[in-house]
Amino acid sequence: QVQLVESGGGLVQPGGSLRLSCAASGSIFSIEVMGWYRQAPGKQRELVAAIPSDASTNYADSVNGRFTISRDNAKNTVYLQMNSLKPEDTAVYYCYAAIYRGWGTFSTDYWGQGIQVTVSS
């Protein structure tokens, strides 16, 4: 069993900052990629940022320059530092991980339950 547990969400004023964390636990051999998606009411879920095992990063244009994704492989944890937050960043943020369960297997997608981020004055 693999679980992704998110933390760090909440309410923040425009221009403020939040740091999201997501820790993967369970039967994990290795993690190929971790990332964050978000979904606002009435909108499709979209990729916010991703970080593969080679430590490269990928950001949505809307957050590039404001958000920073990082990972701690020893802790199987991914972080999303969100600065200069805007009301349009308001959404449920979902942690994502592509995880290898063992040798000789393809990775499997896992999702966290989602955590609310609200940017409002």
Coordinates of all heavy atoms in Angstrom, one line a residue, residues 23-92:
A23 N 4.4 13.7 1.6 CA 5.3 12.6 1.9 C 4.7 11.3 1.4 O 3.5 11.0 1.7 CB 5.5 12.5 3.4
A24 N 5.4 10.5 0.7 CA 5.0 9.2 0.2 C 5.5 8.1 1.2 O 6.6 8.2 1.7 CB 5.6 8.9 -1.1
S25 N 4.6 7.2 1.5 CA 5.0 6.1 2.4 C 4.3 4.8 1.9 O 3.4 4.8 1.1 CB 4.5 6.4 3.8 OG 3.1 6.5 3.9
G26 N 4.8 3.7 2.5 CA 4.3 2.4 2.1 C 5.4 1.6 1.4 O 6.6 1.8 1.6
S27 N 4.9 0.7 0.5 CA 5.8 -0.2 -0.2 C 6.3 0.6 -1.5 O 5.7 0.6 -2.5 CB 5.0 -1.4 -0.7 OG 5.9 -2.3 -1.4
I28 N 7.5 1.2 -1.3 CA 8.1 2.0 -2.3 C 9.5 1.5 -2.6 O 10.3 1.4 -1.7 CB 8.1 3.5 -1.9 CG1 6.7 4.0 -1.7 CG2 8.9 4.3 -3.0 CD1 6.7 5.4 -1.1
F29 N 9.8 1.2 -3.9 CA 11.1 0.9 -4.3 C 11.9 2.1 -4.6 O 13.0 2.4 -4.2 CB 11.1 -0.1 -5.4 CG 12.5 -0.5 -5.9 CD1 13.3 -1.4 -5.1 CD2 13.1 0.0 -7.0 CE1 14.5 -1.8 -5.5 CE2 14.3 -0.4 -7.5 CZ 15.1 -1.3 -6.7
S30 N 11.3 3.0 -5.5 CA 11.8 4.2 -5.8 C 10.7 5.1 -6.4 O 9.7 4.6 -6.8 CB 13.0 4.1 -6.8 OG 12.5 3.6 -8.1
I31 N 11.0 6.4 -6.5 CA 10.0 7.3 -7.1 C 10.6 8.0 -8.3 O 11.6 8.7 -8.2 CB 9.6 8.4 -6.0 CG1 9.0 7.7 -4.8 CG2 8.6 9.3 -6.7 CD1 8.6 8.6 -3.7
E32 N 10.0 7.8 -9.4 CA 10.5 8.4 -10.7 C 10.2 9.9 -10.8 O 11.1 10.6 -11.1 CB 9.8 7.7 -11.9 CG 10.1 8.4 -13.2 CD 11.5 8.5 -13.6 OE1 12.4 7.7 -13.1 OE2 11.9 9.4 -14.3
V33 N 9.0 10.3 -10.4 CA 8.7 11.7 -10.5 C 7.6 12.0 -9.5 O 6.8 11.2 -9.1 CB 8.1 12.0 -11.9 CG1 6.9 11.2 -12.2 CG2 7.8 13.5 -12.1
M34 N 7.7 13.2 -8.9 CA 6.7 13.7 -8.0 C 6.3 15.1 -8.5 O 7.1 15.8 -9.2 CB 7.3 13.8 -6.6 CG 7.7 12.5 -6.0 SD 8.1 12.6 -4.2 CE 6.5 12.6 -3.5
G35 N 5.1 15.5 -8.2 CA 4.7 16.7 -8.7 C 3.4 17.2 -8.0 O 2.9 16.5 -7.1
W36 N 2.9 18.3 -8.5 CA 1.7 18.9 -7.9 C 0.8 19.3 -9.0 O 1.2 19.9 -10.0 CB 2.0 20.2 -7.1 CG 2.8 19.9 -5.8 CD1 4.1 19.9 -5.7 CD2 2.2 19.6 -4.6 NE1 4.5 19.6 -4.4 CE2 3.3 19.4 -3.7 CE3 0.9 19.4 -4.1 CZ2 3.1 19.1 -2.3 CZ3 0.7 19.1 -2.8 CH2 1.8 18.9 -1.9
Y37 N -0.5 19.0 -8.9 CA -1.5 19.4 -9.8 C -2.5 20.2 -8.9 O -2.5 20.2 -7.7 CB -2.3 18.2 -10.4 CG -1.5 17.5 -11.4 CD1 -0.4 16.7 -11.1 CD2 -1.9 17.6 -12.8 CE1 0.3 16.0 -12.1 CE2 -1.2 16.9 -13.8 CZ -0.1 16.1 -13.4 OH 0.5 15.4 -14.4
R38 N -3.3 21.0 -9.6 CA -4.4 21.7 -8.9 C -5.6 21.8 -9.7 O -5.6 21.6 -10.9 CB -3.9 23.1 -8.5 CG -3.8 24.1 -9.8 CD -3.2 25.4 -9.3 NE -3.0 26.3 -10.4 CZ -2.4 27.5 -10.4 NH1 -1.9 27.9 -9.2 NH2 -2.3 28.3 -11.4
Q39 N -6.7 21.9 -9.0 CA -8.0 22.0 -9.7 C -8.9 23.0 -8.9 O -9.2 22.9 -7.7 CB -8.7 20.6 -9.7 CG -10.0 20.6 -10.5 CD -10.5 19.2 -10.7 OE1 -10.1 18.3 -10.0 NE2 -11.3 19.0 -11.8
A40 N -9.3 24.0 -9.7 CA -10.2 25.0 -9.2 C -11.7 24.6 -9.6 O -11.9 23.9 -10.5 CB -9.9 26.4 -9.7
P41 N -12.7 25.1 -8.8 CA -14.1 24.7 -9.2 C -14.4 25.1 -10.6 O -14.1 26.2 -11.0 CB -14.9 25.6 -8.2 CG -14.0 25.7 -7.0 CD -12.6 25.9 -7.6
G42 N -15.0 24.2 -11.3 CA -15.4 24.4 -12.7 C -14.3 24.4 -13.7 O -14.5 24.6 -14.9
K43 N -13.1 24.0 -13.3 CA -11.9 24.0 -14.2 C -11.3 22.6 -14.2 O -11.5 21.8 -13.2 CB -10.9 25.0 -13.8 CG -11.3 26.4 -13.9 CD -10.2 27.4 -13.7 CE -9.2 27.3 -14.9 NZ -8.1 28.3 -14.7
Q44 N -10.6 22.2 -15.2 CA -9.9 21.0 -15.3 C -8.7 21.0 -14.4 O -8.1 22.0 -14.1 CB -9.5 20.6 -16.7 CG -10.6 20.3 -17.6 CD -10.1 19.8 -19.0 OE1 -9.3 20.4 -19.6 NE2 -10.7 18.7 -19.4
R45 N -8.3 19.8 -13.9 CA -7.1 19.7 -13.2 C -5.9 20.0 -14.1 O -5.8 19.5 -15.2 CB -7.0 18.2 -12.6 CG -5.8 18.0 -11.7 CD -5.8 16.7 -11.0 NE -7.0 16.5 -10.2 CZ -7.2 15.4 -9.4 NH1 -6.3 14.5 -9.3 NH2 -8.4 15.3 -8.7
E46 N -4.9 20.7 -13.6 CA -3.8 21.1 -14.4 C -2.5 20.9 -13.6 O -2.5 20.9 -12.4 CB -3.9 22.6 -14.7 CG -3.8 23.5 -13.6 CD -3.8 25.0 -13.9 OE1 -3.6 25.3 -15.1 OE2 -4.0 25.9 -13.1
L47 N -1.5 20.6 -14.4 CA -0.1 20.4 -13.8 C 0.4 21.8 -13.3 O 0.4 22.7 -14.1 CB 0.8 19.8 -14.8 CG 2.3 19.7 -14.4 CD1 2.4 18.7 -13.2 CD2 3.2 19.3 -15.5
V48 N 0.9 21.8 -12.1 CA 1.5 23.0 -11.6 C 3.0 22.9 -11.7 O 3.7 23.8 -12.2 CB 1.1 23.2 -10.1 CG1 1.8 24.4 -9.5 CG2 -0.4 23.4 -10.0
A49 N 3.6 21.8 -11.2 CA 5.0 21.6 -11.3 C 5.3 20.2 -11.1 O 4.6 19.4 -10.5 CB 5.7 22.5 -10.2
A50 N 6.4 19.7 -11.7 CA 6.9 18.4 -11.5 C 8.4 18.3 -11.4 O 9.1 19.2 -11.9 CB 6.4 17.5 -12.7
I51 N 8.9 17.3 -10.7 CA 10.3 17.1 -10.6 C 10.6 15.6 -10.7 O 10.3 14.8 -9.8 CB 10.8 17.7 -9.2 CG1 12.3 17.5 -9.1 CG2 10.0 17.2 -8.0 CD1 12.9 18.4 -8.0
P52 N 11.2 15.2 -11.8 CA 11.7 13.8 -11.9 C 12.9 13.5 -11.0 O 13.4 14.3 -10.3 CB 12.0 13.7 -13.4 CG 11.4 14.9 -14.1 CD 11.4 16.0 -13.0
S53 N 13.3 12.2 -11.1 CA 14.4 11.8 -10.3 C 15.7 12.4 -10.6 O 16.6 12.4 -9.8 CB 14.5 10.2 -10.4 OG 14.7 9.8 -11.7
D54 N 15.8 12.9 -11.9 CA 17.0 13.6 -12.3 C 17.1 15.0 -11.8 O 18.1 15.8 -12.1 CB 17.2 13.5 -13.8 CG 16.2 14.3 -14.6 OD1 15.3 14.9 -13.9 OD2 16.2 14.3 -15.8
A55 N 16.1 15.5 -11.0 CA 16.1 16.8 -10.4 C 15.8 17.9 -11.3 O 15.8 19.1 -11.0 CB 17.3 17.1 -9.6
S56 N 15.4 17.6 -12.6 CA 15.0 18.6 -13.5 C 13.6 19.1 -13.0 O 12.9 18.4 -12.2 CB 14.9 18.1 -14.9 OG 14.0 17.0 -15.0
T57 N 13.2 20.3 -13.4 CA 11.9 20.8 -13.0 C 11.1 21.3 -14.2 O 11.6 21.7 -15.2 CB 12.1 21.9 -12.0 OG1 12.9 23.0 -12.6 CG2 12.7 21.4 -10.7
N58 N 9.8 21.2 -14.0 CA 8.9 21.7 -15.0 C 7.7 22.5 -14.3 O 7.1 22.0 -13.4 CB 8.3 20.5 -15.8 CG 7.4 20.9 -17.0 OD1 7.6 22.0 -17.5 ND2 6.4 20.1 -17.3
Y59 N 7.4 23.7 -14.8 CA 6.4 24.5 -14.2 C 5.4 25.0 -15.3 O 5.7 25.2 -16.4 CB 7.1 25.8 -13.6 CG 8.0 25.5 -12.5 CD1 9.4 25.4 -12.8 CD2 7.6 25.4 -11.2 CE1 10.3 25.2 -11.7 CE2 8.4 25.1 -10.2 CZ 9.8 25.1 -10.4 OH 10.7 24.8 -9.4
A60 N 4.2 25.1 -14.8 CA 3.2 25.8 -15.6 C 3.6 27.2 -15.8 O 4.1 27.8 -14.9 CB 1.8 25.7 -14.9
D61 N 3.2 27.8 -17.0 CA 3.6 29.1 -17.3 C 3.0 30.1 -16.2 O 3.6 31.1 -15.9 CB 3.1 29.5 -18.6 CG 3.9 28.9 -19.8 OD1 5.0 28.4 -19.5 OD2 3.4 28.8 -20.9
S62 N 1.8 29.8 -15.7 CA 1.2 30.7 -14.8 C 1.9 30.8 -13.4 O 1.6 31.7 -12.7 CB -0.3 30.2 -14.6 OG -0.3 28.9 -14.1
V63 N 2.7 29.8 -13.1 CA 3.4 29.9 -11.8 C 4.9 30.0 -11.9 O 5.6 30.2 -10.9 CB 3.1 28.6 -11.0 CG1 1.6 28.4 -10.9 CG2 3.7 27.4 -11.5
N64 N 5.4 29.9 -13.1 CA 6.8 30.0 -13.3 C 7.4 31.3 -12.8 O 6.9 32.4 -13.1 CB 7.2 29.8 -14.8 CG 8.7 29.5 -15.0 OD1 9.3 29.0 -14.2 ND2 9.1 29.8 -16.2
G65 N 8.4 31.2 -12.0 CA 9.0 32.4 -11.4 C 8.5 32.7 -10.0 O 9.1 33.5 -9.2
R66 N 7.3 32.1 -9.6 CA 6.7 32.3 -8.3 C 6.8 31.1 -7.4 O 6.9 31.2 -6.2 CB 5.2 32.8 -8.5 CG 5.1 34.1 -9.2 CD 3.6 34.5 -9.2 NE 2.7 33.6 -9.9 CZ 1.7 33.0 -9.3 NH1 1.5 33.2 -8.0 NH2 0.9 32.1 -9.9
F67 N 6.7 29.9 -8.1 CA 6.7 28.7 -7.3 C 8.0 27.9 -7.5 O 8.6 28.0 -8.6 CB 5.5 27.7 -7.8 CG 4.1 28.2 -7.5 CD1 3.9 29.5 -6.9 CD2 3.1 27.4 -7.7 CE1 2.6 29.9 -6.6 CE2 1.8 27.8 -7.4 CZ 1.5 29.0 -6.9
T68 N 8.4 27.2 -6.5 CA 9.6 26.3 -6.6 C 9.3 25.0 -6.1 O 8.8 24.8 -5.0 CB 10.7 27.0 -5.8 OG1 11.0 28.3 -6.3 CG2 12.0 26.1 -6.0
I69 N 9.5 23.9 -6.9 CA 9.3 22.6 -6.5 C 10.7 22.0 -6.2 O 11.7 22.2 -6.8 CB 8.6 21.7 -7.6 CG1 8.2 20.4 -7.0 CG2 9.5 21.6 -8.8 CD1 7.3 19.6 -8.0
S70 N 10.7 21.1 -5.1 CA 11.9 20.4 -4.7 C 11.5 19.1 -4.1 O 10.4 18.9 -3.8 CB 12.7 21.3 -3.7 OG 12.0 21.5 -2.6
R71 N 12.5 18.2 -4.0 CA 12.2 16.9 -3.4 C 13.4 16.5 -2.5 O 14.5 16.8 -2.7 CB 11.9 15.9 -4.5 CG 13.1 15.6 -5.4 CD 12.6 14.7 -6.6 NE 12.4 13.3 -6.2 CZ 12.0 12.3 -7.0 NH1 11.6 12.6 -8.3 NH2 11.9 11.1 -6.6
D72 N 13.0 15.7 -1.5 CA 14.0 15.1 -0.6 C 13.8 13.6 -0.8 O 12.9 13.0 -0.3 CB 13.7 15.5 0.8 CG 14.8 15.0 1.8 OD1 15.4 14.0 1.5 OD2 14.9 15.6 2.9
N73 N 14.7 13.0 -1.5 CA 14.6 11.6 -1.9 C 14.7 10.7 -0.6 O 14.1 9.6 -0.6 CB 15.7 11.2 -2.9 CG 15.4 11.8 -4.2 OD1 14.3 12.1 -4.6 ND2 16.5 12.0 -5.0
A74 N 15.5 11.1 0.3 CA 15.7 10.3 1.6 C 14.4 10.2 2.3 O 14.1 9.2 3.1 CB 16.8 10.9 2.4
K75 N 13.6 11.2 2.2 CA 12.3 11.3 2.9 C 11.1 11.0 2.0 O 10.0 11.0 2.5 CB 12.1 12.6 3.6 CG 13.1 13.0 4.6 CD 12.8 14.4 5.2 CE 13.8 14.7 6.3 NZ 13.6 16.1 6.8
N76 N 11.3 10.7 0.8 CA 10.3 10.5 -0.2 C 9.2 11.6 -0.1 O 8.0 11.4 -0.1 CB 9.6 9.1 0.0 CG 10.5 8.0 -0.4 OD1 11.3 8.1 -1.3 ND2 10.3 6.8 0.3
T77 N 9.7 12.8 -0.1 CA 8.9 14.0 0.1 C 9.2 15.0 -1.0 O 10.3 15.2 -1.4 CB 9.2 14.6 1.5 OG1 8.8 13.6 2.5 CG2 8.3 15.8 1.7
V78 N 8.1 15.6 -1.5 CA 8.2 16.7 -2.4 C 7.6 18.0 -1.8 O 6.6 17.9 -1.0 CB 7.4 16.4 -3.7 CG1 5.9 16.2 -3.5 CG2 7.7 17.4 -4.8
Y79 N 8.1 19.1 -2.1 CA 7.7 20.4 -1.6 C 7.3 21.3 -2.7 O 7.9 21.2 -3.8 CB 8.8 21.0 -0.8 CG 9.4 20.2 0.3 CD1 10.5 19.4 0.1 CD2 8.8 20.1 1.6 CE1 11.0 18.6 1.1 CE2 9.3 19.3 2.6 CZ 10.4 18.5 2.3 OH 10.9 17.7 3.3
L80 N 6.4 22.2 -2.4 CA 6.1 23.3 -3.3 C 6.1 24.6 -2.6 O 5.2 24.8 -1.8 CB 4.7 23.0 -4.0 CG 4.3 24.0 -5.1 CD1 5.3 23.9 -6.3 CD2 2.9 23.8 -5.5
Q81 N 7.1 25.4 -2.8 CA 7.1 26.7 -2.2 C 6.4 27.7 -3.1 O 6.8 27.8 -4.3 CB 8.6 27.2 -2.0 CG 8.7 28.6 -1.4 CD 8.3 28.7 0.0 OE1 8.6 27.8 0.8 NE2 7.5 29.7 0.3
M82 N 5.4 28.3 -2.6 CA 4.5 29.2 -3.4 C 4.7 30.6 -2.9 O 4.3 30.9 -1.7 CB 3.1 28.7 -3.3 CG 2.8 27.3 -3.8 SD 1.1 26.8 -3.8 CE 0.7 26.8 -2.1
N83 N 5.2 31.5 -3.7 CA 5.4 32.9 -3.3 C 4.5 33.8 -4.2 O 4.1 33.3 -5.3 CB 6.8 33.3 -3.4 CG 7.8 32.5 -2.5 OD1 7.4 32.1 -1.4 ND2 9.0 32.2 -3.0
S84 N 4.3 35.0 -3.8 CA 3.6 36.0 -4.5 C 2.2 35.4 -5.0 O 1.8 35.5 -6.2 CB 4.4 36.4 -5.8 OG 5.6 37.0 -5.4
L85 N 1.5 34.8 -4.1 CA 0.3 34.1 -4.4 C -0.8 35.1 -4.9 O -0.9 36.2 -4.4 CB -0.2 33.3 -3.2 CG 0.5 32.0 -3.0 CD1 0.3 31.5 -1.5 CD2 0.1 31.0 -4.0
K86 N -1.6 34.6 -5.8 CA -2.6 35.4 -6.4 C -4.0 34.7 -6.2 O -4.0 33.5 -6.0 CB -2.4 35.5 -7.9 CG -1.1 36.1 -8.3 CD -0.9 36.1 -9.9 CE 0.4 36.6 -10.3 NZ 0.6 36.6 -11.8
P87 N -5.1 35.4 -6.2 CA -6.4 34.8 -6.0 C -6.6 33.7 -7.0 O -7.3 32.7 -6.7 CB -7.3 35.9 -6.3 CG -6.6 37.2 -5.8 CD -5.2 36.9 -6.3
E88 N -6.1 33.8 -8.2 CA -6.3 32.7 -9.2 C -5.5 31.4 -8.9 O -5.7 30.4 -9.6 CB -5.9 33.2 -10.6 CG -4.6 33.9 -10.7 CD -4.6 35.4 -10.7 OE1 -5.4 35.9 -9.8 OE2 -4.0 36.0 -11.5
D89 N -4.6 31.5 -7.9 CA -4.0 30.3 -7.4 C -4.9 29.4 -6.5 O -4.5 28.3 -6.1 CB -2.7 30.6 -6.7 CG -1.6 31.3 -7.6 OD1 -1.5 30.8 -8.7 OD2 -1.0 32.2 -7.1
T90 N -6.0 30.0 -6.1 CA -6.9 29.3 -5.3 C -7.4 28.0 -5.9 O -7.9 28.0 -7.1 CB -8.1 30.1 -4.9 OG1 -7.7 31.3 -4.2 CG2 -9.2 29.4 -4.1
A91 N -7.2 26.9 -5.3 CA -7.6 25.6 -5.8 C -7.3 24.5 -4.8 O -6.7 24.8 -3.7 CB -6.8 25.3 -7.1
V92 N -7.8 23.3 -5.1 CA -7.3 22.1 -4.4 C -6.1 21.6 -5.0 O -6.0 21.4 -6.2 CB -8.4 21.0 -4.3 CG1 -7.9 19.8 -3.6 CG2 -9.6 21.5 -3.6

